[in-house]
Amino acid sequence: MANKQMTVGPKEGAVAGVLAMGIFTVFIPMGVINFNPADPFLTLWAMNVLVGCFTIGSGIAVLRAKD
Amino acid sequence: MSGAKAASRIPLSYVAVLVPVMGALNVVGGSINNALKLPIFLDMIGTMVAAVALGPWWGALTGIITNVAGAFTINPTMIPFSLCNVVGALVWGYMIRNNGWGRTPGRLIVVGIVCGILVQMMATPIVVFVFGGATGHSSDALLAAFAAAGNSLLVSSFASGITGSIADKMIATFVGLAILRALPSGLTAGIELPKRDATGNLVLAVGGVLVGVVFILITIFVVKPALG
């Protein structure tokens, strides 16, 4: 029986970007409390705006990706 | 500009191996840099390799894994700088893998400079708005010198980090290229890189490091004394 190799293409690659942003979003609150206990909300808000921009970018990459 | 000729589909096994290994390489580089207090970072070499060999967003995933892991092992301040690693991955991936900017060493120097500038543009607001200008990195002293010369914190932060950032990305580009050329040729099939017989891997890596070192020396011996 032929051994079929699993492959990934541009679409899965762009999905990796969405996954990466998810990992970042999960860990950012833990980081914020370590490096800015004085004003964590503002820092958390700013970082979430940035990660939102990148998530939108990776979403567009998923839309444009052609296998 | 020639279009992408890189294989559109790559084996999942390559991804499963390269992403964590390159993340680990980044963490090791970051740890060495942290221990030696160098004015660079050394935590994006694996990101470059993953972005070029697998694609820009796989490089971004490698970058995020690097900085999250580094937050536990090196310094929690690494978490926000994940986004700098993402910017670097996108620049390397889209320029070299997708748009043929890796064909000659000259073009790779341009990629390193563009990457250094864009990553520094991402790092500046993080340094200023998240950390108030001080991150504990060796470039903090230069930032203070720029600020004392009457520049705003944003300008000081950008100016103090730009030479170190370009040096770091230049080193990452050429050391990463040496790693890419040492990988099985199937992994880099269709990606336009300098020909294997044109220059040896070691020569290429050392050349890139030397260009990076020149930028660091400019920072230490020209920029800093000029600020007094």
Side-chain angles (χ1 to χ4, degrees):
Chain A
M1 192 175 76
N3 189 8
K4 196 179 175 193
Q5 193 174 35
M6 285 180 71
T7 59
V8 289
K11 194 151 240 167
E12 289 88 348
V15 168
V18 182
L19 292 175
M21 296 310 147
I23 295 170
F24 179 81
T25 314
V26 167
F27 282 96
I28 193 75
M30 182 214 77
V32 166
I33 208 68
N34 276 319
F35 52 71
N36 191 1
D39 198 357
F41 173 76
L42 194 65
T43 305
L44 197 56
W45 175 77
M47 296 314 299
N48 274 290
V49 169
L50 282 175
V51 80
C53 294
F54 279 103
T55 311
I56 290 167
S58 49
I60 292 168
V62 175
L63 272 178
R64 289 174 54 89
K66 294 185 192 79
D67 278 337
Chain B
M1 180 60 58
S2 62
K5 294 189 191 79
S8 69
R9 297 198 69 82
I10 45 178
L12 182 61
S13 53
Y14 286 176
V15 175
V17 171
L18 262 188
V19 170
V21 169
M22 290 303 128
L25 176 67
N26 282 345
V27 172
V28 170
S31 302
I32 292 169
N33 185 69
N34 195 48
L36 299 177
K37 302 286 178 206
L38 298 173
I40 49 173
F41 306 96
L42 297 180
D43 62 351
M44 290 179 73
I45 297 169
T47 303
M48 185 273 179
V49 176
V52 175
L54 306 174
W57 290 100
W58 289 112
L61 179 63
T62 307
I64 297 269
I65 289 171
T66 297
N67 285 50
V68 169
F72 289 107
T73 57
I74 305 170
N75 192 340
T77 61
M78 283 185 75
I79 289 185
F81 292 105
S82 302
L83 298 176
C84 297
N85 234 323
V86 171
V87 170
L90 298 184
V91 173
W92 278 313
Y94 282 114
M95 283 188 86
I96 298 177
R97 182 182 170 86
N98 294 3
N99 288 296
W101 272 86
R103 208 177 305 151
T104 62
R107 282 176 165 231
L108 284 166
I109 288 175
V110 174
V111 173
I113 292 171
V114 170
C115 190
I117 292 170
L118 293 180
V119 169
Q120 186 59 25
M121 284 171 70
M122 181 81 247
T124 299
I126 296 173
V127 170
V128 173
F129 297 118
V130 178
F131 297 104
T135 57
H137 189 257
S138 49
S139 64
D140 283 358
L142 198 58
L143 189 153
F146 271 104
N151 297 296
S152 72
L153 199 54
L154 269 175
V155 171
S156 302
S157 175
F158 183 82
S160 67
I162 188 68
T163 46
S165 178
I166 292 175
D168 183 66
K169 277 20 137 208
M170 205 69 79
I171 291 168
T173 301
F174 282 91
V175 174
L177 178 65
I179 295 172
L180 279 166
R181 298 208 311 183
L183 290 173
S185 57
L187 206 53
T188 54
I191 301 170
E192 292 182 271
L193 298 173
K195 286 188 172 53
R196 280 172 194 261
D197 54 348
T199 36
N201 282 353
L202 192 61
V203 174
L204 212 56
V206 171
V209 170
L210 283 177
V211 175
V213 168
V214 168
F215 276 94
I216 295 169
L217 292 177
I218 289 171
T219 309
I220 295 172
F221 295 110
V222 179
V223 179
K224 206 170 177 183
L227 292 167

